Amino acid sequence: MKTSERDTPENLEAIIEAYKRGIDLSLLRESLKLTVEQRFDRLMRLQRFAEELRRAGRRAAHDRL
């Protein structure tokens, strides 16, 4: 199938609908209620937590050796 045949409006709409089923709109709505500063604060806390998890994983891997 050629790209132009695959990219019909009907096919693209079906793809978009398939993606939309996997999105939790309530989380998006809650996030949009926050100020930009509040969203950045959440992001920074998430990044700190991710770094803690990476460090814990490295320690656990090292302790197994």
Side-chain angles (χ1 to χ4, degrees):
M1 181 184 306
K2 294 179 188 174
T3 301
S4 60
E5 293 172 357
R6 188 178 58 216
D7 293 341
T8 64
E10 295 81 20
N11 287 341
L12 293 176
E13 190 65 32
I15 292 168
I16 291 168
E17 288 304 315
Y19 275 104
K20 285 169 61 176
R21 282 192 292 268
I23 296 173
D24 185 344
L25 295 178
S26 67
L27 293 175
L28 289 173
R29 287 184 193 103
E30 288 301 313
S31 181
L32 290 172
K33 289 178 185 177
L34 302 173
T35 66
V36 172
E37 185 176 293
Q38 289 170 321
R39 284 185 245 159
F40 274 124
D41 182 57
R42 277 188 170 184
L43 175 60
M44 289 186 294
R45 284 186 281 136
L46 179 61
Q47 288 174 322
R48 285 192 295 267
F49 178 64
E51 182 55 36
E52 283 181 46
L53 290 176
R54 281 192 287 275
R55 275 189 251 121
R58 286 193 294 267
R59 279 194 305 270
H62 181 267
D63 290 346
R64 283 185 281 172
L65 298 177

